[in-house]
Amino acid sequence: MNQKNLNTISSFRRISLITVIAVYFLILVGGIVRSTGSGMGCPDWPKCFGSWVPPTHVDQLPNDYQEIYLAKRVAKNERFATQLDKLGFARKAEEVKNDPSILIEEEFNAVKTWIEYVNRLIGAVIGLLVLITMIRSFPLWKADKWIPLLAIFNLLLVLFQAWIGSIVVSTNLLPWMISVHMVLALVIVCLLLYIHYRSYRLAYTVKYKTDRPNSLFNIMLVGFVLMLIQIVVGTQVREEIDHVAFQMGNLMREEWISMLGIPFLIHRSYSILLFGIHLVFLYKIYKYTLRNVSLFKWSQVLFGVIVFEIITGVGMAYFAIPAFIQPLHLLFGSLIIGIQFVILLLLNDQKKLNVEKISS
């Protein structure tokens, strides 16, 4: 492979990696929006209170602004419910139509409005990064046509995610819509990681140095599936917390944990199983691979992030769900999925750990 092609691949790898990091940053910011209760800081989408630059004081809004934006959201939700019904989700359509929380319009709060607005600005920047990633993938068509094809699909997925975000706003943060929004974000992360990894393989060959690739892959695959289940259960716990918070008027946070149901107990106990599986994986990686190789280092990072994820979970359970811990818990959970996915890609190739340039 000539130097020009290597430079093209290297350039693409940089922008794709930057995009992955930016998406994770957006997940963190989204967690901050959620933990501060700023999700409805802007009652409309994509504008904020009908403007590209939101107001800073309630006097800048009409007296009946709550009724105006409630009517707009109700109309949009009716269209969304109709679409759900046509797709066969009649039960969810009824939920959208009849959920009383959707009809609650929050009062203007400048801080919450600007937190949500900054979140949207960051989202717009990431949209541009995804677009640039797609454009920069086209020169790689001859080397690997799947890279530009997947980059195009990823852009479409990001646009769909933006639409889902608008529905989250119009449904007044309907819990299951937030869960869909989160799971889709993880799909986008994994797709970006796969695109980046395919471009990595164009420039580098990775030699595998373990005699247990299949067993290691199977253990990590089980851990990956279990973590996905854990995240789904976690979104259900988050939905319960939202419901309890609404009932309690966002007061008496120290009582919220005791009011949560079975999903919280499952989510809490499930973490022990995840910890054990990844501890076994780390031990086997240590036993069957060289200690100074990338796969072992990735495994150490994964285990460390899992430990921090558990610590933040314990912090929320025993310290009245502090708002500053929630975004970190969400970020660490998302990082676990990404790192697991990278390790699965490494193991799946059956040739890893000491890296050499093809051109050398």
Side-chain angles (χ1 to χ4, degrees):
M1 184 175 292
N2 60 45
Q3 190 60 43
K4 181 179 179 181
N5 289 337
L6 285 174
N7 290 339
T8 301
I9 294 170
S10 179
S11 176
F12 175 77
R13 287 179 55 227
R14 281 195 297 271
I15 185 62
S16 61
L17 181 59
I18 290 172
T19 304
V20 170
I21 295 172
V23 171
Y24 270 119
F25 180 67
L26 182 60
I27 290 174
L28 175 63
V29 173
I32 294 173
V33 170
R34 192 86 184 275
S35 64
T36 57
S38 303
M40 289 303 294
C42 296
D44 50 342
W45 191 96
K47 294 183 179 181
C48 186
F49 286 102
S51 175
W52 293 112
V53 179
T56 57
H57 196 276
V58 69
D59 292 342
Q60 297 173 261
L61 299 171
N63 293 331
D64 59 344
Y65 72 91
Q66 290 178 293
E67 291 78 7
I68 292 174
Y69 291 107
L70 176 59
K72 290 181 179 181
R73 290 197 297 104
V74 168
K76 186 170 185 176
N77 291 338
E78 288 178 353
R79 294 193 297 271
F80 178 55
T82 300
Q83 292 171 342
L84 285 175
D85 192 43
K86 289 180 179 179
L87 292 172
F89 299 101
R91 184 177 176 179
K92 289 300 181 184
E94 287 301 313
E95 288 183 16
V96 172
K97 291 179 181 178
N98 300 320
D99 193 313
S101 66
I102 292 178
L103 301 179
I104 299 174
E105 188 67 32
E106 294 187 13
E107 294 184 0
F108 174 79
N109 181 301
V111 174
K112 292 182 178 181
T113 292
W114 278 85
I115 290 175
E116 169 60 13
Y117 181 65
V118 170
N119 176 50
R120 294 186 184 186
L121 287 179
I122 295 172
V125 171
I126 290 173
L128 290 175
L129 286 173
V130 171
L131 176 62
I132 294 171
T133 299
M134 183 194 71
I135 294 172
R136 298 286 285 274
S137 72
F138 292 153
L140 303 181
W141 177 269
K142 290 184 179 180
D144 185 352
K145 66 180 180 181
W146 279 108
I147 292 177
L149 288 175
L150 290 172
I152 293 171
F153 177 71
N154 187 62
L155 177 62
L156 295 176
L157 201 59
V158 168
L159 293 175
F160 179 68
Q161 173 77 326
W163 177 76
I164 291 293
S166 74
I167 298 299
V168 169
V169 172
S170 71
T171 56
N172 198 5
L173 310 180
L174 194 62
W176 66 268
M177 284 302 306
I178 295 176
S179 299
V180 170
H181 197 51
M182 178 61 204
V183 171
L184 191 55
L186 294 177
V187 173
I188 290 171
V189 165
C190 288
L191 185 55
L192 283 168
L193 285 170
Y194 183 62
I195 292 170
H196 177 76
Y197 184 72
R198 287 190 73 100
S199 66
Y200 174 83
R201 290 191 308 184
L202 290 178
Y204 297 88
T205 182
V206 191
K207 293 183 178 180
Y208 202 59
K209 288 195 175 183
T210 176
D211 57 350
R212 300 297 179 92
N214 292 331
S215 63
L216 290 171
F217 180 86
N218 292 336
I219 293 172
M220 182 50 61
L221 182 60
V222 170
F224 182 76
V225 172
L226 291 178
M227 189 62 201
L228 286 175
I229 295 173
Q230 177 75 325
I231 286 179
V232 172
V233 175
T235 61
Q236 293 177 356
V237 174
R238 181 68 244 189
E239 290 174 15
E240 287 196 3
I241 291 175
D242 289 344
H243 181 68
V244 170
F246 177 74
Q247 286 184 322
M248 304 292 287
N250 286 313
L251 300 174
M252 300 176 64
R253 296 178 72 99
E254 65 278 2
E255 302 293 331
W256 293 3
I257 291 294
S258 63
M259 299 174 68
L260 301 179
I262 297 298
F264 169 71
L265 298 177
I266 295 174
H267 187 67
R268 182 179 63 183
S269 302
Y270 203 71
S271 61
I272 300 174
L273 176 61
L274 281 168
F275 181 84
I277 288 175
H278 288 88
L279 186 61
V280 170
F281 181 83
L282 184 65
Y283 168 74
K284 286 185 174 293
I285 283 289
Y286 178 85
K287 184 178 180 180
Y288 296 120
T289 66
L290 298 177
R291 293 191 61 183
N292 61 343
V293 295
S294 61
L295 186 56
F296 181 70
K297 292 178 180 178
W298 273 112
S299 302
Q300 288 178 305
V301 171
L302 173 61
F303 192 76
V305 175
I306 290 173
V307 170
F308 279 114
E309 174 75 345
I310 293 174
I311 290 173
T312 55
V314 170
M316 288 197 295
Y318 290 96
F319 296 97
I321 316 180
F324 76 93
I325 292 183
Q326 294 178 57
L328 295 176
H329 191 65
L330 176 63
L331 177 63
F332 289 141
S334 303
L335 283 171
I336 289 170
I337 287 293
I339 298 170
Q340 286 176 323
F341 188 70
V342 169
I343 292 175
L344 284 172
L345 290 174
L346 290 169
L347 288 169
N348 188 57
D349 270 354
Q350 300 289 305
K351 47 177 184 179
K352 304 305 175 234
L353 304 182
N354 279 340
V355 181
E356 296 176 354
K357 283 192 176 181
I358 289 178
S359 57
S360 62

